[in-house]
Amino acid sequence: MLATPAGKRTGAEMEEAEMKGEALPATAPVVAIDGPAGSGKSTVARAVAEALGFLYVDTGAMYRAVTLKVLRDGRDPADEKDVEEALEGISIGLERTNVFLNGADVSHEIRTGDVTRNVSAVSSHPKVREFLVKEQRRLAEGVEGSVMEGRDIGTVVFPNARWKFYLDADPRERARRRQAELAAAGRRKELDWVLRDILERDRRDSEREVSPLRKASDAVEIDTSDLAVEEVVERIVRYVRGEA
Ligand code: DC
């Protein structure tokens, strides 16, 4: 796995340091943003990171990249062993909003319907989560701060994060947003189809055994149904700056 911004210790170096019992660098501030699909997380998290000058980490993109590898290898997303084999020799890189799989830019491929349909199954395997959670923790080391968005950031990846937010919105509104995203990518879908798809993914993401989607008890919940992106961003930035 490779997701190492310039100037940081590589995975092998960190592992060696851990084995030697060396003190790891103190974790920089983390803003954890969790929530279901279509809650506005990605757009909001990107803007918050920009406003604060923090690293932006889209953890969903990492699960999507693993899913793409599983599908490309012709493996079964539901089969634990098959998926574990697909993890061998995998390297995932993040560079701003671009995602790399074994060095190749897969930012578009990870958003296809095929990947979206299979990502919940792939992300339910404990080995996949273990692998990516480790990488996500490494990404947050040695940077000024990071804004990490996903499903389990405030509950599992950084339970001690200084700031935690849980974004949610009415399912129909979430479906409308997803429909607009798909249309922008040239894929027109009926609203009811998108709604069913979103509800099914919510169900799988919240009912899985390992790290299910849920709000951390100490997260600030924001219902984004009737809020503009700028309002949500402003609210979060004010919290982080201690102005709220
Ligand atoms: O944020 P997204 O819709 O691109 O995420 C894709 C899938 O990845 C989502 O359906 C569940 C999984 N995921 C996860 O299990 N844990 C995370 N921290 C982020 C995403």
Side-chain angles (χ1 to χ4, degrees):
M1 184 81 170
L2 182 83
T4 315
K8 291 182 63 182
R9 287 205 248 187
T10 64
E13 284 163 353
M14 296 279 282
E15 232 139 58
E16 200 184 313
E18 271 172 54
M19 275 185 319
K20 284 190 205 151
E22 278 176 22
L24 294 173
T27 302
V30 173
V31 180
I33 304 185
D34 290 304
S39 57
K41 275 182 304 160
S42 299
T43 319
V44 165
R46 262 199 303 274
V48 169
E50 197 165 315
L52 297 170
F54 283 6
L55 175 74
Y56 164 65
V57 183
D58 173 0
T59 63
M62 299 171 94
Y63 286 93
R64 286 173 178 271
V66 172
T67 305
L68 182 64
K69 172 80 161 47
V70 168
L71 296 175
R72 278 189 178 168
D73 287 0
R75 296 183 181 275
D76 176 1
D79 187 282
E80 184 155 16
K81 195 160 171 293
D82 239 23
V83 171
E84 285 177 20
E85 278 170 16
L87 285 177
E88 279 166 29
I90 194 172
S91 95
I92 292 175
L94 292 183
E95 226 179 277
R96 288 190 207 92
T97 53
N98 284 30
V99 186
F100 297 83
L101 173 61
N102 293 346
D105 190 336
V106 292
S107 312
H108 293 292
E109 288 91 329
I110 60 164
R111 308 278 164 201
T112 61
D114 229 15
V115 170
T116 304
R117 267 188 304 280
N118 288 291
V119 66
S120 292
V122 171
S123 53
S124 69
H125 299 297
K127 279 278 175 348
V128 172
R129 306 208 68 85
E130 205 179 288
F131 182 53
L132 290 183
V133 166
K134 213 167 172 185
E135 230 18 72
Q136 289 153 13
R137 289 182 181 147
R138 274 190 189 128
L139 283 171
E141 298 285 356
V143 291
E144 182 134 346
S146 54
V147 178
M148 209 169 277
E149 57 129 326
R151 304 288 191 287
D152 61 340
I153 311 303
T155 52
V156 174
V157 186
F158 289 105
N160 298 323
R162 207 179 302 172
W163 301 283
K164 295 183 189 180
F165 298 91
Y166 188 86
L167 269 46
D168 207 346
D170 171 72
R172 262 197 117 67
E173 176 55 27
R174 293 196 282 121
R176 262 191 289 275
R177 291 174 187 167
R178 177 94 188 111
Q179 187 187 36
E181 256 171 41
L182 289 169
R187 291 162 55 209
R188 305 209 168 275
K189 297 281 181 195
E190 294 289 325
L191 188 63
D192 282 345
W193 183 93
V194 182
L195 181 62
R196 267 199 308 278
D197 197 53
I198 273 199
L199 292 178
E200 176 56 17
R201 196 140 66 93
D202 281 358
R203 189 188 62 73
R204 284 201 233 155
D205 290 341
S206 7
E207 288 180 4
R208 69 171 174 236
E209 267 172 51
V210 212
S211 315
L213 164 69
R214 66 177 171 79
K215 176 188 164 302
S217 56
D218 52 350
V220 173
E221 186 163 4
I222 304 178
D223 185 334
T224 68
S225 307
D226 299 315
L227 295 176
V229 169
E230 300 74 35
E231 291 176 88
V232 184
V233 173
E234 199 190 312
R235 211 179 274 190
I236 294 181
V237 169
R238 281 166 60 87
Y239 260 109
V240 174
R241 292 194 173 138
E243 300 163 358

